[in-house]
Amino acid sequence: PTVVQMTDHPWVAVDLDGCLMDDHYYPGFGPPRHGARNAMNYLKGLGLKIMVFTARTHISGLDGKFQNVNKVVTNIYRWGRKYDIPINYVWPMPKPASIMCFMDDRAIRVCPKGDGKKSWEHAMRLFDRTYKAKVKDWLREVTPKSFAVEQK
């Protein structure tokens, strides 16, 4: 198992199906959505780490069949390497497929429908406006003083 120190870097959590890749490839893997590779490499270049979270890591799979979660995680890393998409960590706990939406104060929507070629472009413009200037000091802003980590 990979040990991940979540307070050593700012992270970006990204969904796999419908975000990095179109929905219709499950249980296989298809090419990344237009703009996903550039967006992830851009975020990595800013010093962020990339975490993939997905309903695929559920032990019963999206089709109800038992699956080896370690194999699923390994295949996600392979997919990232194949398409030059940096993945620092695959969250091994499943994102429940029954969740209709995420409401979060830090959410940026990557629209799977409509003009798919512009969805990552739009998301990255919103990221730049909202978060880019905060990347350097993000850990100091969100980490409690008792857990603060010195950045070099």
Side-chain angles (χ1 to χ4, degrees), residues 70-81:
N70 289 329
K71 278 187 180 177
V72 173
V73 169
T74 297
N75 287 336
I76 293 169
Y77 281 118
R78 282 186 187 137
W79 176 84
R81 284 190 302 274

Side-chain angles (χ1 to χ4, degrees), residues 76-139:
I76 293 169
Y77 281 118
R78 282 186 187 137
W79 176 84
R81 284 190 302 274
K82 177 180 179 178
Y83 290 105
D84 191 32
I85 293 179
I87 299 173
N88 297 98
Y89 187 64
V90 176
W91 185 257
M93 302 301 293
K95 176 186 85 173
S98 59
I99 291 177
M100 180 181 278
C101 68
F102 286 90
M103 294 186 183
D104 190 271
D105 60 331
R106 300 182 200 163
I108 294 179
R109 185 167 187 203
V110 179
C111 301
K113 306 208 180 346
D115 187 358
K117 291 187 176 183
K118 300 242 185 230
S119 61
W120 272 106
E121 203 175 286
H122 173 74
M124 297 315 297
R125 277 195 309 270
L126 185 56
F127 174 86
D128 281 348
R129 281 197 312 267
T130 310
Y131 295 106
K132 185 178 178 182
K134 297 178 180 184
V135 169
K136 183 178 167 222
D137 295 319
W138 185 251
L139 292 179

Side-chain angles (χ1 to χ4, degrees), residues 47-65:
L48 295 162
K49 289 191 177 184
I50 310 298
M51 176 194 310
V52 172
F53 68 98
T54 177
R56 287 178 182 235
T57 54
H58 197 285
I59 196 161
S60 66
L62 297 177
D63 52 10
K65 295 179 183 173

Side-chain angles (χ1 to χ4, degrees), residues 6-7 9-11 105-106 131 134-135 137-149 151:
M6 296 305 292
T7 58
H9 257 79
W11 289 76
D105 60 331
R106 300 182 200 163
Y131 295 106
K134 297 178 180 184
V135 169
D137 295 319
W138 185 251
L139 292 179
R140 275 189 228 109
E141 189 173 314
V142 298
T143 306
K145 299 291 184 232
S146 60
F147 297 107
V149 175
Q151 288 197 358

